[in-house]
Amino acid sequence: MKQAYISDQDFQNINFADQPLSTGEYENCTFRNYGFEYADLSDFSFTDCEFIGCNLSMAKLVKTAFRTVTFKECKMFGLQFNDCNGFGLSFTFDGCALNNAVFYNTSVKKTLFINSKLIETDFAECDLSNSVFKNCDLSGAIFDRTNLEKADFRTSFNYSIDPAVNRLKKAKFSLSEVHGLLYKLDIEIDRD
């Protein structure tokens, strides 16, 4: 079965359940206010695409390819990025809600997370080296055997990262949030 190839298209104010996209490759496309909630995006490929104001919560991402994709102001609860096609996996998240998303054992080096909520997101065994977390809420996010070398957390908050089980060489943190690195020591830190 031949897959579709769609390029340079704008898709707006559509719900995937009402009007599904053809499985295939989408290049240089923009999706605005598109409802992908619970959609099966397995075997889709998105290259140089933008998702703006979309709801992708609980979408199925088995072998989905995201190559140089930007997500802006998107709701993305519970996405299993660990199911994606790992080849060329590259994205930016700006103003997104990625609560309960799973990046377990993925390589997403140099990823930008900007003004996003990453509450209870699973980054265990993930390679996030050189990634930037700018003004992100990381409440309950899981970092376990995660490569965070040269990652930048200076403007983010509510993280708990155990230096004993994560790689942190040259990672950047702010003094005001350093307690997120010391929580396992069960010490009291005066924040005044």
Side-chain angles (χ1 to χ4, degrees), residues 102-118:
V102 178
F103 289 89
Y104 173 77
N105 201 27
T106 59
S107 180
V108 286
K109 300 175 183 180
K110 300 181 181 178
T111 299
L112 296 176
F113 297 93
I114 304 163
N115 300 319
S116 294
K117 290 184 186 282
L118 299 155

Side-chain angles (χ1 to χ4, degrees), residues 13 87 191:
N13 304 315
F87 181 74
R191 295 189 193 190

Side-chain angles (χ1 to χ4, degrees), residues 11-16 30-36 50-56 72-74:
F11 299 90
Q12 296 187 52
N13 304 315
I14 302 170
N15 192 323
F16 190 87
T30 302
F31 300 89
R32 293 179 200 277
N33 302 313
Y34 204 105
F36 288 103
E50 245 186 336
F51 292 81
I52 303 166
C54 296
N55 184 354
L56 292 103
K72 290 183 181 175
E73 305 294 329
C74 291

Side-chain angles (χ1 to χ4, degrees), residues 128-173:
L128 287 162
S129 56
N130 294 290
S131 292
V132 175
F133 293 84
K134 183 177 179 183
N135 196 36
C136 292
D137 184 351
L138 292 153
S139 299
I142 299 166
F143 296 97
D144 183 20
R145 293 178 301 231
T146 305
N147 182 354
L148 298 169
E149 292 179 356
K150 298 183 182 176
D152 188 344
F153 289 89
R154 289 179 293 180
T155 58
S156 287
F157 48 94
N158 295 330
Y159 52 79
S160 295
I161 300 171
D162 184 351
V165 296
N166 293 287
R167 293 170 56 187
L168 298 175
K169 188 175 183 178
K170 304 244 184 208
K172 298 173 185 172
F173 300 91

Side-chain angles (χ1 to χ4, degrees), residues 18-138:
D18 300 331
Q19 196 174 349
L21 297 173
S22 299
T23 303
E25 185 174 346
Y26 292 79
E27 187 171 355
N28 200 36
C29 292
T30 302
F31 300 89
R32 293 179 200 277
N33 302 313
Y34 204 105
F36 288 103
E37 192 172 21
Y38 293 99
D40 187 351
L41 298 176
S42 298
D43 296 312
F44 278 71
S45 177
F46 300 98
T47 305
D48 297 318
C49 291
E50 245 186 336
F51 292 81
I52 303 166
C54 296
N55 184 354
L56 292 103
S57 295
M58 302 304 293
K60 189 174 179 182
L61 302 177
V62 177
K63 297 182 185 173
T64 305
F66 291 113
R67 299 184 179 109
T68 319
V69 171
T70 300
F71 296 98
K72 290 183 181 175
E73 305 294 329
C74 291
K75 184 176 176 184
M76 309 174 79
F77 294 169
L79 290 183
Q80 304 279 325
F81 290 101
N82 56 320
D83 289 340
C84 289
N85 179 338
F87 181 74
L89 191 61
S90 168
F91 26 55
T92 296
F93 301 96
D94 186 353
C96 295
L98 287 142
N99 301 0
N100 301 105
V102 178
F103 289 89
Y104 173 77
N105 201 27
T106 59
S107 180
V108 286
K109 300 175 183 180
K110 300 181 181 178
T111 299
L112 296 176
F113 297 93
I114 304 163
N115 300 319
S116 294
K117 290 184 186 282
L118 299 155
I119 297 168
E120 297 185 7
T121 296
D122 185 354
F123 292 112
E125 298 184 31
C126 189
D127 187 348
L128 287 162
S129 56
N130 294 290
S131 292
V132 175
F133 293 84
K134 183 177 179 183
N135 196 36
C136 292
D137 184 351
L138 292 153

